[in-house]
Amino acid sequence: ASVGKEVERDASSRAGGLIRRFPWRAASDGGHGVTPRTALLRSAPRQQPEGKGKGLEYYLSQFLCLASLVLLLIFLGILVVKMVGSGWLDRREESFNLLPVDCDKSTDDFCQAKQKDVTMAVLHELYSYLSVQAGNFECGNPENLKSKCIWVSEVKEHVLNVTGSSSQKFEAALHWILNSNKDLGIRLKGKDLSELVSSVEEVFCLESAHPQMGLGCRFRRAVVTAITNLFLFFWGLITLWGILIYLRYHWRKMEEEEQAMYEMVKKIIAVVQDHYKEWERNLERYPYVGIFHVRDSLIPPQSRKKMKRVWEKAVDFLASNESRIQTESHRVAGEDMLVWRWTQPSYLSDSEH
């Protein structure tokens, strides 16, 4: 019998140890009043989802992150366009040999003289010379040119020396450019660079629309252009981030100010109610209390300037939202002043509590 009792005590101690080790077991398993696991889960504090309350600042942050990514893509695009685009434009000179000239249907002097090859050579050399000069002007200007627009006399001298053609062929080429509807990359300008030229006699200088630049120059100009645009976008993003930070700071200050206003309202209500109770016990002379007296009792002198907005908001809130406090005007010590009066009897307030 003693051995059986010892075995029972050993079994019960083991069961108690298991219950202490696994407290989530139901009371029905051990019968020792252990709190069930489901009750523990229900009593545990639940975490509020953080996804709620995402306001304007959340969407602004997402927009700025997206704008940063778009900025990087724009920078790479500008770099590629500047590098590849200029080289593609330089190949326009190859199309001069393919320009269609319908001499059978045309009646101008150029086609009647059957000088297509000579005129094409003049145009080709004219385009090449102007594009090289414009490229030099854009890439450091080693020849100290005053403008990309080269004087017609200088262009004429160069073309005639290279091609060996006559002045009439040069003028015929200019005339052909004026009458052509195609973009040849050569601009004819007069003394007034803003006005269009209508005749060969008005031509004062010639300018290339497609400067011929080397790979290093194109790369340098592409980098400068991309960095300039990147700088502008960067400052734009900084401005937007600054606005976002200011808005978040402003919203936080407004929330803090609003919370401080509600705390001030509670204190004012407590002061006015206590004053009324003391008047009912004949501890105060008047049932009302001055507004500025309440302010001076709640806010120390060094904080009144800082708490001015909070106090004014609290006063306005009480005037429009609190029916238990009535704002009145009384003459106290020979001066008219605004006071607060508690309008609810004390027995009603006590019953509410």
Side-chain angles (χ1 to χ4, degrees), residues 203-217:
V203 177
F204 180 75
C205 63
L206 293 87
E207 177 182 344
S208 174
H210 310 304
Q212 182 178 352
M213 295 176 287
L215 181 61
C217 180

Side-chain angles (χ1 to χ4, degrees), residues 304-322:
R304 289 172 189 170
K305 184 177 181 180
K306 179 181 178 181
M307 298 290 293
K308 181 179 180 181
R309 285 174 52 86
V310 176
W311 172 258
E312 291 176 351
K313 286 186 175 182
V315 172
D316 295 337
F317 181 85
L318 289 171
S320 58
N321 297 281
E322 183 56 61

Side-chain angles (χ1 to χ4, degrees), residues 71-99:
L71 176 59
L72 178 60
L73 296 178
I74 291 176
F75 173 76
L76 296 177
I78 292 174
L79 192 61
V80 171
V81 169
K82 284 292 182 179
M83 286 294 297
V84 178
S86 298
W88 178 80
L89 290 175
D90 290 342
R91 293 194 296 270
R92 288 293 300 275
E93 60 180 332
E94 299 176 0
S95 64
F96 273 108
N97 295 327
L98 303 177
L99 289 175

Side-chain angles (χ1 to χ4, degrees), residues 141-170:
N141 193 13
E143 299 182 6
N144 296 323
L145 300 175
K146 296 182 179 179
S147 174
K148 291 189 298 183
C149 195
I150 310 301
W151 289 348
V152 64
S153 59
E154 183 178 346
V155 176
K156 180 178 179 180
E157 181 180 358
H158 173 81
V159 172
L160 296 182
N161 291 334
V162 174
T163 60
S165 58
S166 61
S167 300
Q168 289 77 9
K169 299 300 183 291
F170 179 79

Side-chain angles (χ1 to χ4, degrees), residues 50-65 241 244 248 251:
E50 299 180 357
K52 298 182 180 179
K54 292 181 180 178
L56 179 59
E57 60 184 68
Y58 170 78
Y59 295 105
L60 283 176
S61 301
Q62 296 297 324
F63 169 75
L64 290 176
C65 293
W241 276 112
L244 176 61
R248 295 182 63 178
W251 292 332

